[in-house]
mmCIF file of all heavy atoms in Angstrom:
data_model
loop_
_atom_site.group_PDB
_atom_site.id
_atom_site.type_symbol
_atom_site.label_atom_id
_atom_site.label_comp_id
_atom_site.label_asym_id
_atom_site.label_seq_id
_atom_site.Cartn_x
_atom_site.Cartn_y
_atom_site.Cartn_z
ATOM 1 N N GLU A 1 -113.111 -144.655 -43.846
ATOM 2 C CA GLU A 1 -111.990 -145.353 -43.168
ATOM 3 C C GLU A 1 -110.655 -145.232 -43.924
ATOM 4 O O GLU A 1 -109.563 -145.544 -43.355
ATOM 5 C CB GLU A 1 -112.350 -146.786 -42.866
ATOM 6 C CG GLU A 1 -113.555 -146.965 -41.924
ATOM 7 C CD GLU A 1 -113.581 -148.403 -41.412
ATOM 8 O OE1 GLU A 1 -112.610 -148.880 -40.901
ATOM 9 O OE2 GLU A 1 -114.698 -148.925 -41.555
ATOM 10 N N ASP A 2 -110.759 -144.850 -45.131
ATOM 11 C CA ASP A 2 -109.507 -144.728 -45.981
ATOM 12 C C ASP A 2 -108.843 -143.439 -45.708
ATOM 13 O O ASP A 2 -107.671 -143.286 -46.068
ATOM 14 C CB ASP A 2 -109.837 -144.857 -47.454
ATOM 15 C CG ASP A 2 -110.340 -146.218 -47.863
ATOM 16 O OD1 ASP A 2 -109.935 -147.247 -47.190
ATOM 17 O OD2 ASP A 2 -111.159 -146.399 -48.715
ATOM 18 N N ARG A 3 -109.459 -142.517 -45.202
ATOM 19 C CA ARG A 3 -108.992 -141.253 -44.896
ATOM 20 C C ARG A 3 -108.965 -140.899 -43.369
ATOM 21 O O ARG A 3 -110.028 -140.813 -42.769
ATOM 22 C CB ARG A 3 -109.807 -140.063 -45.506
ATOM 23 C CG ARG A 3 -109.199 -138.652 -45.329
ATOM 24 C CD ARG A 3 -109.945 -137.616 -46.232
ATOM 25 N NE ARG A 3 -109.474 -136.317 -46.112
ATOM 26 C CZ ARG A 3 -110.141 -135.321 -45.575
ATOM 27 N NH1 ARG A 3 -111.392 -135.537 -45.349
ATOM 28 N NH2 ARG A 3 -109.602 -134.132 -45.327
ATOM 29 N N LYS A 4 -107.727 -140.997 -42.755
ATOM 30 C CA LYS A 4 -107.649 -140.823 -41.319
ATOM 31 C C LYS A 4 -106.727 -139.685 -41.030
ATOM 32 O O LYS A 4 -105.622 -139.456 -41.688
ATOM 33 C CB LYS A 4 -107.016 -142.168 -40.761
ATOM 34 C CG LYS A 4 -107.889 -143.325 -40.832
ATOM 35 C CD LYS A 4 -107.264 -144.496 -40.116
ATOM 36 C CE LYS A 4 -108.271 -145.761 -40.145
ATOM 37 N NZ LYS A 4 -107.533 -146.879 -39.445
ATOM 38 N N ILE A 5 -107.114 -138.865 -40.030
ATOM 39 C CA ILE A 5 -106.441 -137.716 -39.668
ATOM 40 C C ILE A 5 -106.488 -137.643 -38.110
ATOM 41 O O ILE A 5 -107.517 -137.807 -37.485
ATOM 42 C CB ILE A 5 -106.928 -136.382 -40.299
ATOM 43 C CG1 ILE A 5 -107.023 -136.497 -41.826
ATOM 44 C CG2 ILE A 5 -106.145 -135.102 -39.783
ATOM 45 C CD1 ILE A 5 -107.715 -135.379 -42.425
ATOM 46 N N ALA A 6 -105.348 -137.340 -37.415
ATOM 47 C CA ALA A 6 -105.345 -137.155 -36.035
ATOM 48 C C ALA A 6 -106.008 -135.716 -35.651
ATOM 49 O O ALA A 6 -105.671 -134.792 -36.359
ATOM 50 C CB ALA A 6 -103.957 -137.214 -35.489
ATOM 51 N N THR A 7 -106.762 -135.750 -34.704
ATOM 52 C CA THR A 7 -107.492 -134.517 -34.338
ATOM 53 C C THR A 7 -106.440 -133.365 -33.929
ATOM 54 O O THR A 7 -106.686 -132.236 -34.041
ATOM 55 C CB THR A 7 -108.552 -134.657 -33.303
ATOM 56 O OG1 THR A 7 -107.969 -135.378 -32.154
ATOM 57 C CG2 THR A 7 -109.722 -135.472 -33.746
ATOM 58 N N ARG A 8 -105.296 -133.802 -33.354
ATOM 59 C CA ARG A 8 -104.205 -132.881 -32.973
ATOM 60 C C ARG A 8 -103.704 -132.160 -34.194
ATOM 61 O O ARG A 8 -103.341 -131.009 -34.232
ATOM 62 C CB ARG A 8 -103.123 -133.554 -32.181
ATOM 63 C CG ARG A 8 -102.328 -134.542 -32.934
ATOM 64 C CD ARG A 8 -101.389 -135.386 -32.012
ATOM 65 N NE ARG A 8 -100.841 -136.496 -32.682
ATOM 66 C CZ ARG A 8 -99.558 -136.590 -33.057
ATOM 67 N NH1 ARG A 8 -98.734 -135.620 -32.672
ATOM 68 N NH2 ARG A 8 -99.101 -137.719 -33.572
ATOM 69 N N GLN A 9 -103.628 -132.864 -35.399
ATOM 70 C CA GLN A 9 -103.253 -132.287 -36.675
ATOM 71 C C GLN A 9 -104.181 -131.255 -37.094
ATOM 72 O O GLN A 9 -103.893 -130.189 -37.585
ATOM 73 C CB GLN A 9 -102.893 -133.455 -37.719
ATOM 74 C CG GLN A 9 -102.450 -132.873 -38.997
ATOM 75 C CD GLN A 9 -101.066 -132.291 -38.956
ATOM 76 O OE1 GLN A 9 -100.215 -132.822 -38.315
ATOM 77 N NE2 GLN A 9 -100.773 -131.272 -39.726
ATOM 78 N N SER A 10 -105.506 -131.679 -37.029
ATOM 79 C CA SER A 10 -106.540 -130.803 -37.410
ATOM 80 C C SER A 10 -106.544 -129.482 -36.603
ATOM 81 O O SER A 10 -106.733 -128.321 -37.117
ATOM 82 C CB SER A 10 -107.928 -131.453 -37.306
ATOM 83 O OG SER A 10 -107.894 -132.745 -37.829
ATOM 84 N N TYR A 11 -106.208 -129.635 -35.347
ATOM 85 C CA TYR A 11 -106.184 -128.514 -34.383
ATOM 86 C C TYR A 11 -105.118 -127.565 -34.870
ATOM 87 O O TYR A 11 -105.291 -126.374 -34.983
ATOM 88 C CB TYR A 11 -105.942 -129.012 -32.954
ATOM 89 C CG TYR A 11 -105.406 -127.973 -32.015
ATOM 90 C CD1 TYR A 11 -106.047 -126.830 -31.781
ATOM 91 C CD2 TYR A 11 -104.112 -128.315 -31.355
ATOM 92 C CE1 TYR A 11 -105.540 -126.054 -30.834
ATOM 93 C CE2 TYR A 11 -103.614 -127.355 -30.451
ATOM 94 C CZ TYR A 11 -104.293 -126.197 -30.147
ATOM 95 O OH TYR A 11 -103.819 -125.374 -29.237
ATOM 96 N N GLY A 12 -103.885 -128.163 -35.135
ATOM 97 C CA GLY A 12 -102.704 -127.250 -35.432
ATOM 98 C C GLY A 12 -103.025 -126.491 -36.623
ATOM 99 O O GLY A 12 -102.632 -125.251 -36.698
ATOM 100 N N GLU A 13 -103.484 -127.106 -37.707
ATOM 101 C CA GLU A 13 -103.670 -126.384 -38.974
ATOM 102 C C GLU A 13 -104.802 -125.344 -38.893
ATOM 103 O O GLU A 13 -104.659 -124.261 -39.404
ATOM 104 C CB GLU A 13 -104.139 -127.476 -40.027
ATOM 105 C CG GLU A 13 -103.031 -128.385 -40.363
ATOM 106 C CD GLU A 13 -103.459 -129.543 -41.350
ATOM 107 O OE1 GLU A 13 -104.573 -129.508 -41.780
ATOM 108 O OE2 GLU A 13 -102.586 -130.400 -41.625
ATOM 109 N N THR A 14 -105.849 -125.719 -38.093
ATOM 110 C CA THR A 14 -106.922 -124.722 -37.941
ATOM 111 C C THR A 14 -106.511 -123.462 -37.115
ATOM 112 O O THR A 14 -106.882 -122.366 -37.382
ATOM 113 C CB THR A 14 -108.193 -125.395 -37.331
ATOM 114 O OG1 THR A 14 -108.544 -126.546 -38.076
ATOM 115 C CG2 THR A 14 -109.439 -124.392 -37.296
ATOM 116 N N LEU A 15 -105.684 -123.840 -36.065
ATOM 117 C CA LEU A 15 -105.063 -122.732 -35.156
ATOM 118 C C LEU A 15 -104.339 -121.645 -36.020
ATOM 119 O O LEU A 15 -104.529 -120.465 -35.846
ATOM 120 C CB LEU A 15 -104.303 -123.245 -34.107
ATOM 121 C CG LEU A 15 -104.003 -122.578 -32.925
ATOM 122 C CD1 LEU A 15 -105.182 -122.023 -32.300
ATOM 123 C CD2 LEU A 15 -103.120 -123.357 -31.985
ATOM 124 N N ALA A 16 -103.551 -122.142 -36.977
ATOM 125 C CA ALA A 16 -102.726 -121.256 -37.769
ATOM 126 C C ALA A 16 -103.659 -120.344 -38.655
ATOM 127 O O ALA A 16 -103.420 -119.222 -38.902
ATOM 128 C CB ALA A 16 -101.792 -122.113 -38.659
ATOM 129 N N GLN A 17 -104.689 -121.028 -39.226
ATOM 130 C CA GLN A 17 -105.743 -120.245 -40.015
ATOM 131 C C GLN A 17 -106.436 -119.180 -39.204
ATOM 132 O O GLN A 17 -106.645 -118.060 -39.635
ATOM 133 C CB GLN A 17 -106.713 -121.206 -40.666
ATOM 134 C CG GLN A 17 -106.044 -122.109 -41.652
ATOM 135 C CD GLN A 17 -106.960 -123.322 -42.026
ATOM 136 O OE1 GLN A 17 -108.126 -123.454 -41.582
ATOM 137 N NE2 GLN A 17 -106.544 -124.250 -42.896
ATOM 138 N N LEU A 18 -106.742 -119.619 -37.956
ATOM 139 C CA LEU A 18 -107.470 -118.697 -37.076
ATOM 140 C C LEU A 18 -106.556 -117.528 -36.709
ATOM 141 O O LEU A 18 -106.942 -116.329 -36.591
ATOM 142 C CB LEU A 18 -107.837 -119.405 -35.699
ATOM 143 C CG LEU A 18 -108.672 -118.770 -34.749
ATOM 144 C CD1 LEU A 18 -110.009 -118.266 -35.279
ATOM 145 C CD2 LEU A 18 -108.902 -119.564 -33.444
ATOM 146 N N GLY A 19 -105.285 -117.705 -36.574
ATOM 147 C CA GLY A 19 -104.308 -116.643 -36.310
ATOM 148 C C GLY A 19 -104.204 -115.632 -37.309
ATOM 149 O O GLY A 19 -103.983 -114.485 -37.100
ATOM 150 N N GLU A 20 -104.468 -115.982 -38.574
ATOM 151 C CA GLU A 20 -104.483 -115.110 -39.754
ATOM 152 C C GLU A 20 -105.705 -114.122 -39.648
ATOM 153 O O GLU A 20 -105.595 -112.986 -40.112
ATOM 154 C CB GLU A 20 -104.443 -115.837 -41.023
ATOM 155 C CG GLU A 20 -103.145 -116.601 -41.298
ATOM 156 C CD GLU A 20 -103.192 -117.356 -42.627
ATOM 157 O OE1 GLU A 20 -104.304 -117.384 -43.218
ATOM 158 O OE2 GLU A 20 -102.216 -117.917 -42.956
ATOM 159 N N LYS A 21 -106.749 -114.679 -39.069
ATOM 160 C CA LYS A 21 -108.039 -113.905 -39.065
ATOM 161 C C LYS A 21 -108.291 -113.062 -37.800
ATOM 162 O O LYS A 21 -108.910 -112.138 -37.809
ATOM 163 C CB LYS A 21 -109.244 -114.811 -39.257
ATOM 164 C CG LYS A 21 -109.320 -115.544 -40.568
ATOM 165 C CD LYS A 21 -110.501 -116.382 -40.741
ATOM 166 C CE LYS A 21 -110.548 -117.623 -39.977
ATOM 167 N NZ LYS A 21 -111.708 -118.445 -40.242
ATOM 168 N N ASN A 22 -107.561 -113.465 -36.724
ATOM 169 C CA ASN A 22 -107.818 -112.876 -35.358
ATOM 170 C C ASN A 22 -106.458 -112.617 -34.753
ATOM 171 O O ASN A 22 -105.896 -113.488 -34.241
ATOM 172 C CB ASN A 22 -108.727 -113.816 -34.546
ATOM 173 C CG ASN A 22 -109.282 -113.038 -33.369
ATOM 174 O OD1 ASN A 22 -108.600 -112.144 -32.882
ATOM 175 N ND2 ASN A 22 -110.374 -113.508 -32.844
ATOM 176 N N SER A 23 -106.103 -111.383 -34.672
ATOM 177 C CA SER A 23 -104.853 -111.037 -34.132
ATOM 178 C C SER A 23 -104.815 -111.065 -32.571
ATOM 179 O O SER A 23 -103.751 -111.034 -31.913
ATOM 180 C CB SER A 23 -104.474 -109.522 -34.455
ATOM 181 O OG SER A 23 -105.477 -108.572 -33.946
ATOM 182 N N ARG A 24 -105.934 -111.241 -31.921
ATOM 183 C CA ARG A 24 -105.986 -111.577 -30.539
ATOM 184 C C ARG A 24 -105.616 -112.977 -30.059
ATOM 185 O O ARG A 24 -105.351 -113.216 -28.923
ATOM 186 C CB ARG A 24 -107.397 -111.151 -30.018
ATOM 187 C CG ARG A 24 -107.884 -109.783 -30.026
ATOM 188 C CD ARG A 24 -109.444 -109.677 -29.713
ATOM 189 N NE ARG A 24 -109.623 -110.188 -28.332
ATOM 190 C CZ ARG A 24 -110.787 -110.637 -27.959
ATOM 191 N NH1 ARG A 24 -111.755 -110.819 -28.803
ATOM 192 N NH2 ARG A 24 -110.949 -111.043 -26.632
ATOM 193 N N VAL A 25 -105.562 -113.912 -31.018
ATOM 194 C CA VAL A 25 -105.225 -115.254 -30.699
ATOM 195 C C VAL A 25 -103.722 -115.401 -30.425
ATOM 196 O O VAL A 25 -102.879 -114.926 -31.277
ATOM 197 C CB VAL A 25 -105.692 -116.170 -31.826
ATOM 198 C CG1 VAL A 25 -105.103 -117.623 -31.633
ATOM 199 C CG2 VAL A 25 -107.178 -116.206 -31.979
ATOM 200 N N VAL A 26 -103.389 -115.882 -29.322
ATOM 201 C CA VAL A 26 -102.009 -116.173 -28.958
ATOM 202 C C VAL A 26 -101.999 -117.673 -28.485
ATOM 203 O O VAL A 26 -103.022 -118.267 -28.153
ATOM 204 C CB VAL A 26 -101.493 -115.291 -27.817
ATOM 205 C CG1 VAL A 26 -101.434 -113.840 -28.225
ATOM 206 C CG2 VAL A 26 -102.390 -115.354 -26.584
ATOM 207 N N VAL A 27 -100.766 -118.280 -28.752
ATOM 208 C CA VAL A 27 -100.712 -119.732 -28.459
ATOM 209 C C VAL A 27 -99.483 -119.994 -27.595
ATOM 210 O O VAL A 27 -98.403 -119.371 -27.684
ATOM 211 C CB VAL A 27 -100.364 -120.461 -29.836
ATOM 212 C CG1 VAL A 27 -100.175 -121.975 -29.544
ATOM 213 C CG2 VAL A 27 -101.739 -120.286 -30.769
ATOM 214 N N LEU A 28 -99.759 -120.919 -26.646
ATOM 215 C CA LEU A 28 -98.742 -121.252 -25.596
ATOM 216 C C LEU A 28 -98.547 -122.736 -25.570
ATOM 217 O O LEU A 28 -99.626 -123.496 -25.667
ATOM 218 C CB LEU A 28 -99.123 -120.719 -24.156
ATOM 219 C CG LEU A 28 -99.202 -119.236 -24.050
ATOM 220 C CD1 LEU A 28 -100.675 -118.772 -24.325
ATOM 221 C CD2 LEU A 28 -98.991 -118.837 -22.518
ATOM 222 N N ASP A 29 -97.365 -123.210 -25.361
ATOM 223 C CA ASP A 29 -97.047 -124.663 -25.356
ATOM 224 C C ASP A 29 -96.040 -124.956 -24.202
ATOM 225 O O ASP A 29 -95.184 -124.050 -23.941
ATOM 226 C CB ASP A 29 -96.696 -125.047 -26.673
ATOM 227 C CG ASP A 29 -96.869 -126.569 -26.848
ATOM 228 O OD1 ASP A 29 -96.237 -127.431 -26.234
ATOM 229 O OD2 ASP A 29 -97.750 -126.954 -27.699
ATOM 230 N N ALA A 30 -96.040 -126.150 -23.786
ATOM 231 C CA ALA A 30 -95.092 -126.506 -22.738
ATOM 232 C C ALA A 30 -93.965 -127.496 -23.381
ATOM 233 O O ALA A 30 -93.867 -128.618 -22.886
ATOM 234 C CB ALA A 30 -95.784 -127.189 -21.541
ATOM 235 N N ASP A 31 -93.249 -126.942 -24.304
ATOM 236 C CA ASP A 31 -92.182 -127.614 -24.969
ATOM 237 C C ASP A 31 -92.595 -128.959 -25.682
ATOM 238 O O ASP A 31 -91.745 -129.877 -25.737
ATOM 239 C CB ASP A 31 -91.159 -127.948 -23.940
ATOM 240 C CG ASP A 31 -89.678 -127.963 -24.483
ATOM 241 O OD1 ASP A 31 -89.448 -127.156 -25.381
ATOM 242 O OD2 ASP A 31 -88.807 -128.744 -24.000
ATOM 243 N N LEU A 32 -93.883 -128.998 -26.208
ATOM 244 C CA LEU A 32 -94.271 -130.171 -26.938
ATOM 245 C C LEU A 32 -94.860 -129.753 -28.223
ATOM 246 O O LEU A 32 -95.783 -130.441 -28.824
ATOM 247 C CB LEU A 32 -95.254 -130.925 -26.136
ATOM 248 C CG LEU A 32 -94.690 -131.791 -24.934
ATOM 249 C CD1 LEU A 32 -95.737 -132.316 -23.970
ATOM 250 C CD2 LEU A 32 -93.797 -132.933 -25.449
#
C-alpha cells in the first residue's frame, strides 16, 4: 500500500519499451 502506481502510467512506460523491441507497433491517440 506504500507503493502506488496508476495503471495508465504502467501502460505508457511499457508501450515505449515495446516500441523498441517491435517496429510493427504504432500508437494512436485522440489528443489526450
Side-chain angles (χ1 to χ4, degrees):
E1 290 194 57
D2 294 327
R3 185 169 174 243
K4 294 184 177 182
I5 303 173
T7 53
R8 62 188 171 113
Q9 181 69 34
S10 311
Y11 162 59
E13 293 174 4
T14 308
L15 194 57
Q17 294 166 2
L18 184 62
E20 293 178 354
K21 297 185 287 187
N22 192 335
S23 61
R24 292 172 59 206
V25 171
V26 294
V27 176
L28 300 87
D29 203 291
D31 211 33
L32 286 168

